[in-house]
Amino acid sequence: MSSSTVAVLRVSPENVQSRIVELCQLAGLRGALSPLAATILKDNLSWHYPFPGANTTPWQLEGTIRALRGAGFADLSCVQNDVLAGEDRNHYLPILRTHEVPVLDNFRDTDMKWVRYEPVARMRVLHRIYPEGIFLPNTFFGKNLVHLPTVKGHLYTTTAGAMNNALGGLLPTHRHYTHAWVHETLVDLLAIQKEIHKGLFAVMDGTTAGNGPGPGAMIPMIKNVMLASADQVAIDAIAAKMMGFDPMRLPYIRMAHEAGLGVGRPEEITLLGDGDAAAESWGFKAGDTLASRVRRLLFHTPLVNLLVGASEVYKDYLRWPLHDRRVFTRWKRETRWGQLFEQYERGVPVQLGGGPHKSHEAGIAGYEDPEHEKAMHA
C-alpha cells in the first residue's frame, strides 16, 4: 500500500461504524502499523467544549477502535492532556471503558515522563523555541500512533488536520510559543514522529466540518465524509482541497512535501473509495479574528502569556455560554449527527450498522446568519 494513498468514504449516522472499518481497510491500516508494537490513539480536543467540527467525534473514536481490534491490534491506549474536561464532555470515557482502552495523561507523572530527545532530522525551529532541549513523552517511543483529527479551518494554518494534531501530544507546556513558526513546527514534529513511532495512521472526521478560523469561531457544516491514510501530509492535502484550498499554498503541507515527509500534491495522491466525494470543493474560508491579529503582534513579547489567558477566558466564559452553546444545542436538535452525539451522551449503545449512505444534509439552515458572521470575526 503506497504511503500516498488516501481513502475517502461517504457516511451516514446509520452506517458510520461499519464504514470506518471499511475506510481503514481501504487505507491500509494493517500494513501501516507494526503488529508487534502497542498502539496509541491520539484524539483531537481543540476545545474542551463539544463544539461540532472542533473535536474528535465519539463515533470516530469508537469506529477506529473497532477497526484496530479487527485488524489484530489489541494493545491500545488513548493519550490525552485534557482528560477531566474534554474527554468527559465529548463522551469518550464510556467508549474507552467499554472497549477496555486505558487513558493516559501526558502531563501526569504516573502515566509518563518527559525525556530529552535529539532528533536525527534537521530541525527548522524547535531547537530555537526550546533552547534547553526538545522533550517528548517517553511512552510514545516505539509505539504505533493513530491520529483522530477533524476537517476544519484554523486561524494560524488555514486548515488543521493530522499534522496539527501532534501539537497536543508531543509538545510540553508553552505550546503557544510555537505559533509564530507554527508551519515549521508542524514539519519538525512530523519528522520526529517518523523517527520515534513504529507506524503512523490517521482517521479524519468530516461528518460535520468546521468552516472558518477554527478551532473556535467556526460554522458547522454537514459534509458526511470520513478520510483515512498512513500519509499525514496526503490526508491533510486532500482535506484542504475538499475544503476549497490549494494544499501546496499552505506552507506546512508544501514544506513537508518538499522535505519528503509525505505527498502534498493532490495529483500525486492515489484516492480510494468515493471519488466523487474526494472531488468536492466546499468553498470554505479560513478567515481571521481580531484576537488572532493581536496575538500575532505579541508573539515575541511577554504579553503573549496574558493574551493566551484572556483568550481562554473569552472562549469559556463569554463565547461558549452566549453563543456557541446555542449552536451546539441546535446542531444536536436539528441534525442527525447531532442526534447521534446525543445518543452517546445518553449512553445508548451504537450498533456497528451497515447499509447505504442516506444522509443528504448539506448544512444547517440559519447558521450563516449575519449575527453569526459578526461573532466569527469578533
Side-chain angles (χ1 to χ4, degrees), residues 214-349:
M218 295 191 301
I219 301 172
M221 302 297 293
I222 306 297
K223 292 302 176 185
N224 307 309
V225 295
M226 295 204 67
L227 304 83
S229 181
D231 186 332
Q232 314 298 290
V233 184
I235 194 171
D236 282 357
I238 295 302
K241 183 174 180 293
M242 292 172 70
M243 283 187 269
F245 302 105
D246 179 351
M248 291 298 284
R249 288 184 177 272
L250 305 182
Y252 77 96
I253 291 178
R254 187 191 69 248
M255 287 189 290
H257 175 92
E258 292 172 350
L261 297 172
V263 179
R265 291 196 180 99
E267 61 271 20
E268 297 178 16
I269 298 168
T270 300
L271 290 169
L272 299 176
D274 296 326
D276 59 329
E280 292 180 354
S281 183
W282 304 332
F284 280 14
K285 299 184 184 303
D288 205 350
T289 66
L290 176 60
S292 68
R293 290 192 291 271
V294 173
R295 188 185 291 189
R296 275 194 288 270
L297 290 174
L298 300 178
F299 270 146
H300 304 285
T301 76
L303 292 175
V304 69
N305 295 304
L306 293 176
L307 190 60
V308 169
S311 175
E312 295 303 314
V313 170
Y314 164 71
K315 287 194 303 179
D316 287 0
Y317 298 102
L318 290 175
R319 186 175 180 90
W320 174 256
L322 297 178
H323 183 271
D324 287 338
R325 182 163 55 191
R326 291 188 311 222
V327 175
F328 167 64
T329 301
R330 187 174 172 189
W331 172 78
K332 282 205 302 179
R333 183 180 67 246
E334 297 183 5
T335 75
R336 286 162 50 231
W337 290 111
Q339 290 156 17
L340 180 60
F341 185 90
E342 190 171 32
Q343 190 173 333
Y344 278 98
E345 190 173 65
R346 291 185 285 113
V348 178

Side-chain angles (χ1 to χ4, degrees), residues 67-195:
L68 284 163
R69 288 269 166 79
F73 297 95
D75 189 356
L76 307 180
S77 62
C78 182
V79 171
Q80 188 43 249
N81 56 328
D82 193 12
V83 173
L84 294 179
E87 296 267 3
D88 183 45
R89 292 176 181 138
N90 287 276
H91 312 303
Y92 304 158
L93 294 178
I95 295 168
L96 295 168
R97 283 195 294 266
T98 296
H99 293 277
E100 299 181 332
V101 177
V103 180
L104 304 176
D105 188 331
N106 61 1
F107 290 106
R108 185 184 294 147
D109 288 342
T110 54
D111 289 347
M112 63 192 75
K113 306 291 185 185
W114 289 79
V115 297
R116 186 164 184 158
Y117 179 70
E118 294 292 340
V120 176
R122 178 185 67 86
M123 293 290 99
R124 288 165 168 77
V125 294
L126 282 187
H127 62 294
R128 285 184 286 155
I129 296 171
Y130 299 104
E132 72 284 1
I134 296 171
F135 286 79
L136 306 176
N138 64 349
T139 195
F140 277 49
F141 291 84
K143 293 184 173 66
N144 300 313
L145 184 68
V146 178
H147 287 294
L148 299 174
T150 61
V151 180
K152 61 178 174 286
H154 196 279
L155 70 168
Y156 298 131
T157 51
T158 305
T159 67
M163 287 180 64
N164 186 276
N165 199 44
L167 284 170
L170 279 180
L171 289 184
T173 55
H174 307 303
R175 289 192 298 272
H176 53 277
Y177 289 162
T178 68
H179 290 164
W181 305 279
V182 66
H183 294 276
E184 292 86 353
T185 295
L186 296 184
V187 177
D188 282 353
L189 289 177
L190 181 55
I192 288 173
Q193 289 175 83
K194 285 180 169 288
E195 293 177 10

Side-chain angles (χ1 to χ4, degrees), residues 12-19 22 351-358:
S12 72
E14 294 79 14
N15 68 16
V16 66
Q17 292 289 316
S18 61
R19 292 289 268 175
E22 179 185 352
Q351 300 302 314
L352 188 61
H357 165 77
K358 296 192 289 185

Side-chain angles (χ1 to χ4, degrees), residues 38-53:
T39 300
I40 292 172
L41 288 157
K42 183 64 189 74
D43 55 38
N44 179 220
L45 277 170
S46 297
W47 194 11
H48 48 252
Y49 284 110
F51 191 77

